[in-house]
Amino acid sequence: MTNREERLKALYPEDILSIAKDLTDGELELLQQLNALLEDKYRKDINRHWVEATVPEDFFQDIGNLNYFTNPLLYKDRDGAQTPSQLFQFFMAYTLARFDVSLATLLGVHQGLGHNTFLFGGSKEQVAKYVPKLQSHELRTCFALTEPDHGSDVAGGLATTAEQKGDVWILNGEKKWIGGAHVSDVIPVFAVNKETGKPHCFVVTPDQEGVEIDVLQDKIALRIVPNAHIKLNQVQVKEADRLQNITSFKDIAKILYSTRAGVAYMATGALAGTLRATLDYVKQRKQFGKSISQYQLVQEKLSMIQGNLAHAMAMCAALARKQANGEYDEVATSTAKMMNALRLRESVAMGRGVCGGNGILAGDYDIARFFSDAEAVYTYEGTHEINALVIGRALTGTSAFI
């Protein structure tokens, strides 16, 4: 076995299809750095942070210091490349989610939904102003689309309004489930133009007059992620702070499609975390005089989790190849998100069951954290049902949304 093969095996022992072998040496090195950071600095306290619903100190800065958009390691042996490869983006999300789904979600909101809102929605000048600082983590952002009464139906039900008065827009409404809004430097807020009925996106700051932000309490999943409820009362935003290239829901959908693959990637990483957490437990737990890892029924459950993981990884690899070729297909991304989240939900139930009563102790055992967080992954970035209807529409030519 070569040194490279040994490194890959050590980093991704669950990768039975050897998908990671297509990573470049530079990408592998950066992923090793990411994994070492997570394990060395954050492993000891991650369950406590989940129980207490606190974000690990320095996490956002530490990830930013990896320079995961422009690090020279990502362009080694990739002549002419201008962005990180899709395969690297899969394994970065996977590695984070294998460790903790909340931390993967926090970064996904910033570098996926939030960053892409500015990248796709901004004018040339706005992209130049915001995107480099978002990529370096000098600025932090989120994604304020969902509302208290509108989630799956935001395409036709956005209630937050924007009224133009000269060079100023007046925003009124509410947003809910907005991850990290209270600590964001810039919040992209989506609102309907009262005159035209078309959606726009406005750059708002948390300390702006008329902006009230409360962090939601008592969640049973993704407890480390501080989801917020934003209230907008006569908030004034200059026309210069309206992202110029968001003028229809198709523009918003482009952002969602570009990041839905990331949720499929996170679901897959969470599957790997489920396998690891279950294996760690069964190898040290003894019943009837021997390790429970030696029992047939336990090994069958482990095999099913590994099989679900292999399927999910293969789907993500295929999706990454499509997107590397510029094929951002809503049916492909919806299929990957729907199926990988479904298999995650199935797998965490098996893992939690194998761990018995200890499987519900989130402070002591990792499986409880993955079990709970799977419920959020199953729901966000398009529920199971909504993604199914996207696929069904393509299959039948008929929309069943309404």
Side-chain angles (χ1 to χ4, degrees), residues 278-279 281-283 291-305 350 353-355:
T278 307
L279 272 172
Y281 181 83
V282 301
K283 286 179 179 180
S291 166
I292 64 173
S293 65
Q294 298 178 44
Y295 290 99
Q296 292 177 351
L297 288 175
V298 171
Q299 291 194 6
E300 188 267 346
K301 299 294 188 301
L302 292 169
S303 299
M304 287 293 294
I305 297 171
M350 288 190 287
V354 166
C355 295

Side-chain angles (χ1 to χ4, degrees), residues 257 260 329-339 387 390-391:
Y257 295 153
R260 186 160 292 155
D329 182 81
E330 64 175 342
V331 175
T333 54
S334 286
T335 301
K337 192 279 173 177
M338 181 184 75
M339 293 307 301
N387 279 300
V390 169
I391 301 163

Side-chain angles (χ1 to χ4, degrees), residues 40-268:
D40 296 345
K41 184 169 183 177
Y42 296 110
R43 171 61 70 186
K44 180 171 65 73
D45 297 319
I46 191 63
N47 287 334
R48 184 53 46 194
H49 280 295
W50 192 93
V51 170
E52 296 177 357
T54 54
V55 180
E57 188 176 358
D58 299 333
F59 171 73
F60 189 73
Q61 181 179 346
D62 284 343
I63 297 298
N65 288 340
L66 290 175
N67 199 14
Y68 59 90
F69 275 105
T70 58
N71 194 308
L73 288 171
L74 299 178
Y75 301 95
K76 182 180 177 182
D77 302 321
R78 296 181 63 232
D79 292 343
Q82 297 182 327
T83 60
S85 75
Q86 289 291 326
L87 188 65
F88 170 79
Q89 291 181 51
F90 161 44
F91 273 102
M92 181 172 178
Y94 174 97
T95 303
L96 277 164
R98 184 179 65 177
F99 181 79
D100 181 72
V101 186
S102 290
L103 297 185
T105 301
L106 278 172
L107 187 64
V109 169
H110 170 83
Q111 58 123 219
L113 290 168
H115 167 268
N116 286 358
T117 298
F118 287 89
L119 181 65
F120 297 162
S123 64
K124 183 178 180 181
E125 293 75 19
Q126 289 169 328
V127 168
K129 177 181 179 180
Y130 290 109
V131 168
K133 292 181 179 180
L134 293 170
Q135 291 184 351
S136 68
H137 286 208
E138 182 179 343
L139 288 179
R140 185 166 182 169
T141 192
C142 56
F143 185 74
L145 175 65
T146 306
E147 299 180 344
D149 296 323
H150 298 287
S152 297
D153 70 345
V154 289
L158 207 61
T160 301
T161 60
E163 183 176 7
Q164 188 171 19
K165 294 185 177 180
D167 194 41
V168 173
W169 293 83
I170 309 298
L171 306 187
N172 286 285
E174 298 180 40
K175 298 294 178 180
K176 192 174 182 181
W177 298 109
I178 313 307
H182 67 306
V183 292
S184 291
D185 299 295
V186 285
I187 305 173
V189 174
F190 296 87
V192 170
N193 183 332
K194 289 184 71 173
E195 182 178 351
T196 65
K198 300 293 185 181
H200 293 315
C201 186
F202 303 87
V203 182
V204 174
T205 59
D207 58 354
Q208 206 165 328
E209 185 175 352
V211 177
E212 180 183 341
I213 302 178
D214 296 310
V215 176
L216 302 176
Q217 304 297 322
D218 304 324
K219 295 190 300 175
I220 68 164
L222 298 185
R223 289 182 53 79
I224 292 174
V225 179
N227 291 100
H229 184 173
I230 305 174
K231 296 180 182 178
L232 305 156
N233 181 19
Q234 297 292 111
V235 176
Q236 297 187 21
V237 181
K238 295 179 180 179
E239 166 64 14
D241 290 324
R242 178 177 69 84
L243 296 182
Q244 299 297 308
N245 290 325
I246 295 179
T247 57
S248 71
F249 196 80
K250 285 185 177 180
D251 298 324
I252 301 173
K254 180 182 178 182
I255 300 166
L256 295 173
Y257 295 153
S258 73
T259 57
R260 186 160 292 155
V263 181
Y265 300 163
M266 283 191 279
T268 307

Side-chain angles (χ1 to χ4, degrees), residues 354-372:
V354 166
C355 295
N358 286 332
I360 65 172
L361 296 175
D364 298 321
Y365 300 97
D366 291 339
I367 191 62
R369 177 164 47 91
F370 283 104
F371 178 81
S372 298

Side-chain angles (χ1 to χ4, degrees), residues 385-386 388-394 396-402:
E385 290 77 13
I386 289 297
L389 293 182
V390 169
I391 301 163
R393 180 176 60 192
T396 65
T398 303
S399 176
F401 283 90
I402 55 174

